Amino acid sequence: MGMESDENRLEYEETELRLGLPGGSLKREFSQTIDLKLNLNASMASPPSPHQQQEKITAKPPAKAQVVGWPPVRSFRKNTLAVQSAAAAAFIKVSLDGAPYLRKVDLKMYNSYQQLSEALGKMFSSSTIGDCGVKELMSESKLIDLLNGSDYVPTYQDKDGDWMLVGDVPWEMFVDSCKRLRIMKSSEAIGLAPRAAEKCKNRA
Amino acid sequence: MAYSFPEEVLEHVFSFLSSDRDRNAVSLVCKSWYDIERWCRRRIFVGNCYAVSPEIVIRRFPELRAVEMKGKPHFADFNLVPEGWGAYAYPWIAAMAEAYPFLEEIKLKRMVVTDESLELISKSYKNFKVLVLTSCEGFTTDGLASIAANCRHLRELDLRESEVEDLSGHWLSHFPDSCTSLVSLNMSCLGSEVSFSALERLVARSPNLRTLRLNRAVPLERLANLIRRAPQLVELGTGAYSAEIRSDTFSNLADAFSACKQLKTLSGFWDVVPSYLPAMYSVCSGITSLNLSYAAIPSSDLVKLINQCQNLQRLWVLDYIEDSGLDALAASCKGLQELRVFPSDPFGAEPNVPLTEQGLVSVSEGCPKLESVLYFCRQMSNAALIAIAKNRPNFIRFRLCIIDPQAPDYLTLEPLDTGFGAIVENCKELRRLSMTGLLTDRVFKYIGSHAKKLEMLSVAFAGDSDLGLHHVLSGCDSLRKLEIRDCPFGDKALLANAAKLETMRSLWMSSCFVSFGACKLLAQKMPRLNVEVIDERGPPESRPEGCSVERVYVYRTVDSRQRLDRPDFVWTLDEDSSLRYS
């Protein structure tokens, strides 16, 4: 029993398992099982393995996604391994002023502010501010331009609960201390902007 | 003949029978033996909590002291059983609280245990001694506090791999100063820090303590003090095995270990700093069981430790050991009986360590007593499996998990049928088998023909047709548990072998081709089976009868009532095939 056309396939498999018709090949393909899960959950890909950080930035899901209960490793072991692995996940909430929903990103998946900004740009690209504004947001070198011209300021809340401007500290330090990310409208960033501007002055 | 011995004499004779099988046999001899036996049975094991009801158990065995029970099917470990399915301990605990005031031991596996249950246990049984909760869930550290506070004669508190809601470490401090009876404490699954001084005092006042398994929150710096207070320990589970490298910490630890002359089992080893491993060398020659399956350290360090443990019988380790490490193991540990190799990166697509089928082949060659294996790897060949089978005809348990479950023989690209066929053909005492890889109906034919002592079989993504299932059900004479996922097995084989299912504990099939109609028919034909359709898509009747169910769980039961605690995604079918759902 073949799946004739791709457009039928997703709908059919969404509603029921394949039936065992006589004479047909009944083998359930593991890879097709994966495709099933991936197609249904394209944007909700499960947390990737720490060893595949590079691939995660692109939209394509990993080749071997997680099928429920496979491989047969017990939760206690999975959780313990996850905590122990060097690049343990660091999911934080990201809010963009004006966007209807908050998002979550795993900071450990990126190696630089640039990569993070690209990912966020994709994530929030459907919001009304448009790609341009968000993508340019986090570029360290463009911070000054941002503050002078842009509508948005990237801020984060650190371990001590203070709201800081993104871009001051080296990337690794940022990942360690960042608890939340908020991309603020600059009209609201009054308290932060003067400090940042001063820092920029000192740099120049 | 039966009436020529007074009851007391028969009772005395029966008291030498500890095996359930023997006691069951005895109770079948005649009515009076049945009666005498049931009054003097003190321990029971219930393999499936739904196979019988508390009332039936209590009615038959009025004087129990120890109850051991299992709940959810094995695949629940891998999230294949939806949350809320069942296996609640409370009804049992409540019924037994009334019936068995002298109950001493409760051991539960894969059951849902609440704080309420734990509190009831702690208050109902004056002489309660042993609580073992393996892979259980549903309780918090508050429940543990009740046990600690109220069970005056507690000997064992073992929370093996249970999921406990960890509110705080304060529960440990509830053990009264008068409690000196502790023999075994396993808190390794807990997250919170307990009061270290309370722990030290508890250990110090427990002269009979043989097993102490700490949790990760106990730092290495504290370990020496704890061990020093319990040099009689036989089983030790460390906490986090890492600290700043300091010579005083090291020598302290080494001294403490050297006083432990009876140590046989070591486990724990989270966050290992390899430099501290030599602190244990003084005890290694006596170690028979080593669980390093959480130790993310390189092969060379693992090998150095293993080489110290010449008398090792059981090793659990991560695949960081690599093929080379397994070669070393095969050379050093000639008494090895059990090996488990776990994946360090189970979800990675590519191999992250050089561990292949070769490691398993080496160990099977070098270790003549090896009888139990659990091995995760990323490639396998028929040649390797055949070699392993020829090397080790004494296997009792063989569980192989290839990360890509439909991986063929990587050398020939053929199915792994002949490899597994060799395993079942050569290993005549095989009791448990888990298979993965590209497998056709042929492997099931081999299993049905040869695996006559096989009791438990786990199958995933294998087979071509109903014939596969039929081979197993019709051929495996000793089969008790069969669990299947994602295989093209359906109605025909199931219905043709319906009678077989009554000789087994249970059958689990998920993501296969079993139709609702077949489930109804099976339930109709076999009144002593419970046929549970576990389907989260809504009532099975709302779909065509030929449509496959998500999961079916079939088990024999002497409890003729349907499960009363079913959630709304479980449908059971009774004799007249009318659908019942809550």
Side-chain angles (χ1 to χ4, degrees):
Chain A
M1 167 184 209
M3 293 290 116
E4 274 81 31
S5 65
D6 275 352
E7 63 204 38
N8 285 339
R9 177 185 149 120
L10 182 63
E11 208 174 39
Y12 185 91
E13 284 173 343
E14 236 177 304
T15 54
E16 55 192 62
L17 301 174
R18 271 187 269 152
L19 301 179
L21 292 185
S25 157
L26 306 178
K27 193 194 272 299
R28 176 178 302 281
E29 295 290 340
F30 180 66
S31 53
Q32 282 168 329
T33 312
I34 293 180
D35 286 347
L36 178 73
K37 307 273 191 280
L38 291 183
N39 284 336
L40 294 177
N41 296 314
S43 58
M44 302 285 167
S46 25
S49 146
H51 297 264
Q52 290 181 313
Q53 284 186 28
Q54 300 81 351
E55 272 121 28
K56 288 308 149 284
I57 313 289
T58 63
K60 189 173 190 273
K64 298 269 190 247
Q66 296 175 34
V67 170
V68 173
W70 195 267
V73 174
R74 303 192 53 231
S75 319
F76 183 76
R77 179 167 295 282
K78 263 192 276 188
N79 296 340
T80 307
L81 286 177
V83 172
Q84 281 195 124
S85 82
F91 277 97
I92 54 145
K93 286 185 193 171
V94 184
S95 62
L96 170 67
D97 284 2
Y101 319 104
L102 270 63
R103 302 300 302 266
K104 270 204 164 166
V105 286
D106 177 2
L107 290 180
K108 297 274 178 142
M109 276 170 34
Y110 311 108
N111 291 324
S112 66
Y113 288 107
Q114 182 65 29
Q115 284 182 4
L116 177 62
S117 104
E118 279 170 13
L120 289 179
K122 288 201 181 101
M123 233 184 216
F124 287 109
S125 59
S126 57
S127 61
T128 52
I129 57 163
D131 286 0
C132 205
V134 179
K135 264 195 186 142
E136 294 304 306
L137 223 44
M138 308 278 201
S139 170
E140 288 165 310
S141 58
K142 298 208 166 138
L143 222 47
I144 299 171
D145 292 338
L146 264 185
L147 295 167
N148 288 342
S150 169
D151 292 330
Y152 287 83
V153 173
T155 65
Y156 71 101
Q157 189 176 33
D158 71 3
K159 280 184 193 167
D160 303 324
D162 299 321
W163 285 95
M164 317 285 291
L165 196 65
V166 171
D168 284 342
V169 300
W171 172 254
E172 289 77 18
M173 205 180 287
F174 168 71
V175 171
D176 268 355
S177 54
C178 172
K179 292 292 158 229
R180 255 192 99 119
L181 209 54
R182 180 181 166 196
I183 305 167
M184 299 172 85
K185 282 202 154 88
S186 53
S187 49
E188 305 221 72
I190 299 167
L192 292 172
R195 262 185 278 140
E198 210 175 280
K199 280 202 175 110
C200 296
K201 250 195 287 175
N202 295 337
R203 270 197 216 160
Chain B
M1 187 60 163
Y3 48 78
S4 59
F5 285 113
E7 270 187 30
E8 296 79 26
V9 174
L10 279 172
E11 248 192 64
H12 184 68
V13 172
F14 294 168
S15 70
F16 293 102
L17 299 173
S18 50
S19 127
D20 283 340
R21 283 227 173 114
D22 291 341
R23 281 193 162 259
N24 290 347
V26 149
S27 59
L28 290 174
V29 167
C30 64
K31 210 151 179 279
S32 82
W33 280 37
Y34 175 93
D35 262 326
I36 296 168
E37 193 282 320
R38 76 184 187 91
W39 277 94
C40 68
R41 190 168 317 199
R42 296 284 174 263
R43 322 187 129 257
I44 56 158
F45 169 75
V46 178
N48 173 4
C49 63
Y50 290 120
V52 71
S53 71
E55 292 71 36
I56 294 174
V57 171
I58 291 169
R59 196 167 59 222
R60 179 165 172 192
F61 300 115
E63 300 269 332
L64 293 181
R65 297 274 185 278
V67 173
E68 186 178 344
M69 190 172 312
K70 295 188 180 179
K72 299 186 204 173
H74 174 238
F75 272 177
D77 285 355
F78 316 124
N79 299 330
L80 292 180
V81 178
E83 192 77 35
W85 172 78
Y88 302 105
Y90 190 78
W92 287 89
I93 309 285
M96 295 193 304
E98 298 247 349
Y100 303 129
F102 300 111
L103 194 69
E104 296 176 0
E105 288 185 23
I106 294 177
K107 297 183 182 174
L108 304 175
K109 183 168 185 178
R110 282 193 210 99
M111 293 192 75
V112 178
V113 181
T114 55
D115 284 349
E116 223 184 342
S117 299
L118 293 177
E119 203 181 325
L120 195 53
I121 291 174
S122 75
K123 302 219 163 112
S124 310
Y125 309 114
K126 296 291 167 255
N127 209 23
F128 194 71
K129 298 198 168 100
V130 173
L131 182 64
V132 178
L133 300 174
T134 307
S135 306
C136 292
E137 51 162 351
F139 59 104
T140 78
T141 40
D142 285 350
L144 298 179
S146 312
I147 298 285
N150 301 324
C151 299
R152 308 256 177 101
H153 306 284
L154 195 67
R155 289 209 197 135
E156 285 183 44
L157 178 59
D158 188 335
L159 306 170
R160 276 172 226 184
E161 294 180 332
S162 290
E163 263 182 57
V164 185
E165 196 187 325
D166 205 326
L167 302 172
S168 88
H170 196 57
W171 65 273
L172 189 93
S173 308
H174 284 256
F175 278 109
D177 289 338
S178 54
C179 175
T180 58
S181 48
L182 220 49
V183 172
S184 167
L185 178 63
N186 178 357
M187 46 183 252
S188 54
C189 61
L190 298 178
S192 299
E193 220 176 72
V194 297
S195 152
F196 297 132
S197 55
L199 181 57
E200 278 172 23
R201 276 180 284 121
L202 179 62
V203 170
R205 66 174 184 273
S206 305
N208 298 317
L209 194 67
R210 291 168 25 113
T211 299
L212 179 63
R213 297 198 203 261
L214 304 167
N215 65 345
R216 199 174 186 169
V218 178
L220 192 59
E221 294 89 344
R222 292 273 174 180
L223 189 59
N225 281 347
L226 284 165
I227 302 177
R228 236 185 264 288
R229 285 165 168 75
Q232 75 283 5
L233 277 180
V234 176
E235 301 184 330
L236 171 70
T238 72
Y241 205 79
S242 64
E244 230 179 82
I245 300 181
R246 296 173 48 146
S247 57
D248 55 351
T249 314
F250 183 93
S251 51
N252 216 5
L253 191 57
D255 281 341
F257 267 115
S258 61
C260 296
K261 307 280 186 223
Q262 325 245 27
L263 214 45
K264 291 233 171 317
T265 301
L266 287 171
S267 61
F269 299 112
W270 290 286
D271 314 316
V272 177
V273 164
S275 315
Y276 276 106
L277 290 174
M280 298 191 312
Y281 281 0
S282 58
V283 298
C284 284
S285 58
I287 295 297
T288 55
S289 171
L290 190 54
N291 182 351
L292 293 167
S293 63
Y294 296 107
I297 53 179
S299 175
S300 49
D301 291 307
L302 288 166
V303 167
K304 274 193 220 129
L305 180 59
I306 288 169
N307 282 339
Q308 297 285 323
C309 304
Q310 308 274 331
N311 290 313
L312 205 55
Q313 290 170 12
R314 183 197 302 178
L315 176 67
W316 291 19
V317 74
L318 283 169
D319 55 10
Y320 289 130
I321 193 168
E322 301 179 9
D323 286 341
S324 57
L326 291 175
D327 287 338
L329 176 67
S332 290
C333 303
K334 293 305 185 184
L336 195 70
Q337 294 170 15
E338 178 179 323
L339 174 67
R340 293 195 193 190
V341 178
F342 294 96
S344 53
D345 181 23
F347 303 113
E350 298 304 317
N352 60 324
V353 286
L355 179 114
T356 67
E357 82 284 7
Q358 197 42 53
L360 186 56
V361 173
S362 297
V363 181
S364 73
E365 263 168 22
C367 301
K369 300 212 176 134
L370 189 67
E371 59 180 26
S372 174
V373 164
L374 169 61
Y375 200 77
F376 281 81
C377 60
R378 283 184 160 86
Q379 67 185 40
M380 188 47 67
S381 67
N382 283 310
L385 283 170
I386 292 168
I388 291 166
K390 296 230 159 84
N391 289 334
R392 290 278 66 74
N394 48 323
F395 272 139
I396 298 180
R397 275 170 235 108
F398 188 76
R399 295 158 72 185
L400 181 71
C401 180
I402 308 173
I403 299 289
D404 173 1
Q406 287 185 318
D409 175 327
Y410 76 100
L411 296 168
T412 64
L413 297 183
E414 282 173 3
L416 291 172
D417 297 337
T418 41
F420 280 106
I423 295 280
V424 292
E425 207 177 338
N426 285 290
C427 306
K428 306 218 189 301
E429 300 298 313
L430 196 68
R431 296 204 301 252
R432 184 167 178 182
L433 177 66
S434 302
M435 312 189 291
T436 30
L438 187 63
L439 297 162
T440 71
D441 282 348
R442 239 178 326 137
V443 74
F444 297 105
K445 186 155 182 225
Y446 297 143
I447 292 174
S449 321
H450 296 288
K452 296 304 180 188
K453 300 256 180 94
L454 192 67
E455 296 180 6
M456 182 168 176
L457 178 64
S458 309
V459 186
F461 301 98
D464 307 311
S465 74
D466 270 35
L467 212 48
L469 180 57
H470 176 68
H471 285 312
V472 172
L473 288 176
S474 57
C476 295
D477 300 333
S478 311
L479 198 63
R480 292 191 300 115
K481 288 179 278 184
L482 179 57
E483 47 185 25
I484 300 171
R485 63 164 294 179
D486 294 273
C487 295
F489 300 149
D491 302 345
K492 275 197 295 212
L494 198 59
L495 293 171
N497 293 285
K500 171 72 174 179
L501 300 177
E502 239 185 56
T503 70
M504 293 165 53
R505 180 186 297 173
S506 65
L507 165 69
W508 169 279
M509 292 178 73
S510 54
S511 306
C512 296
F513 294 146
V514 179
S515 72
F516 183 55
C519 294
K520 284 201 288 192
L521 205 51
L522 184 62
Q524 214 174 11
K525 260 174 102 162
M526 312 292 304
R528 285 190 296 201
L529 292 179
N530 264 1
V531 179
E532 287 191 18
V533 170
I534 304 167
D535 204 317
E536 291 171 288
R537 296 170 301 175
E541 289 173 327
S542 62
R543 289 179 289 280
E545 266 209 11
C547 180
S548 303
V549 298
E550 277 181 347
R551 309 166 193 82
V552 59
Y553 183 44
V554 183
Y555 52 90
R556 64 181 175 189
T557 178
V558 297
D559 186 359
S560 54
R561 309 163 309 174
Q562 297 296 318
R563 267 182 64 184
L564 299 170
D565 60 358
R566 274 170 286 123
D568 58 12
F569 52 82
V570 173
W571 283 269
T572 56
L573 307 143
D574 70 0
E575 278 163 57
D576 61 17
S577 220
S578 64
L579 190 61
R580 286 220 202 136
Y581 46 98
S582 42

